[in-house]
Amino acid sequence: MWGGRFAAGPASIMREINASIPFDKRLWKQDIAGSKAHVAMLARQGIVSQADADAISAGLDTIAAEYEASGVPVNLDLEDIHMVTESRLAELIGPVAGRLHTARSRNDQVATDFRLWVRDAIDEVEAGLIGLQRALVARAQDHADAVMPGFTHLQSAQPVTLGHHLMAYYEMVRRDRSRFADARARLNECPLGAAALAGTGFPTDRHMTAAALGFVKPTDNSLDSVSDRDFALDYLMAATQASLHLSRLAEEFIIWASQPFGFVKLPDAYSTGSSIMPQKRNPDAAELVRGHAGRIMGCMTALCMTMKGLPLAYSKDMQDDKPPVFEAHDLLALSIAAMTGMVETVTFRTDRMRGLAESGFATATDLADWLVREGGIPFREAHHITGRAVAAAEEAGVPLDQLPLDRLKAIDDRLDDRVYAVLTVDASVASRKSHGGTAPDQVRARIAQAKEELG
Ligand code: ARG
């Protein structure tokens, strides 16, 4: 294809290092779409005849049907998806195929194909994340007032509701979706027609190809058009963030499924047994989601490293842009599906959660708040008094709300029997009505809004 200037063919090792067809065959649909838009424009601008354009377009349709039926042939001699397709086109329609590459280069071609691919990937992720949000909202609604211990430092802190806890992940996914939406909006400009790097002397209409491919407009600088991979990095950075959230949720399920916690029973469908210990039910799917987050971040780092030292415009290093994006996308799609499945089917052991919430002095803050509210005591002093009450309860081996009144009075005379009303876990969560707080009423209100957001 570029043989004119060369006397000898490439060494076989050169052929191997140069070829991207083993992975960029994944771009075939986008490559055909880009070529069809390009040749339609060439015809309309009178750069190729309508008859030639029709022959090229029909040939591309035939090739698409072939790829669909039997995959893209991997021929290292032909280097990449662009050349594999063009050479098949020449087999099908003869030398007229050579007119397709007028007024473009593989540099703008691959930039266009890859943008189209990443745009589709974003749409697929968006659909997956919506599914995950729906699952979270449904389970949160079932458990809007199920009390569990809330943790800081993984130590029992204050009671919260399971619905509130699950809705925290809804908010994370909402931000993930907005990052992908930002990435999509920034990506949606068409580099096709920038040609090799400097634009073209042919009277092309870049607005026409941009519109045909669903882009908002053509890109505005031909050098930037062929050298920019921000869209791939935006995707990988958004994917990294999303995978961190999935990994944190996975980690919670792993902890919750452990025997000492026993907060959940993971579904059989997402667990494995041990070949040696018959009692085991291992949270493999969750562990792999946690592991995949590391690999996705690795993909993001890989492309940052590829791009960081490149001068304008195109360098062949940039061919390495695709494997990390493809890998990250496959891992992310799988992770989203696995976490959605787990959220939908996990069994929450709400009795166990409640039992632990009641046993960990989790309402100590409520006692201190009561002293502030009813006794007019400064919070720091109330904190101190409460600390003594907790110590007394610990010594007596009872939860705070079962400590006898005379014991409480011995600590501070301003305590009276009204305080018991705030010491139950249900009273504690019900009282936390501040915006975004864990009170079941607040949680239900946010769930109702979330359902509207999801449509
Ligand atoms: N396979 C190449 C890539 O993925 C296509 C662009 C080739 N351009 C070039 N000037 N060699 O980057």
Side-chain angles (χ1 to χ4, degrees), residues 20 24 80 82 106-107 110 314 316 318-319 322:
S20 53
D24 70 14
D80 59 24
H82 323 296
R106 279 186 296 158
N107 295 348
V110 73
Y314 177 87
K316 195 66 175 244
M318 289 165 67
Q319 181 164 282
K322 285 167 280 299

Side-chain angles (χ1 to χ4, degrees), residues 261-283:
F261 266 79
F263 281 8
V264 297
K265 180 170 178 246
L266 288 179
D268 288 352
Y270 293 95
S271 314
T272 61
S274 157
S275 53
I276 180 167
M277 295 164 284
Q279 86 283 10
K280 292 286 288 284
R281 167 194 288 274
N282 294 328

Side-chain angles (χ1 to χ4, degrees), residues 117-135:
W117 192 93
V118 172
R119 196 174 69 186
D120 289 346
I122 289 173
D123 292 344
E124 190 189 326
V125 168
E126 164 77 353
L129 291 177
I130 291 174
L132 176 57
Q133 285 185 311
R134 285 193 202 288

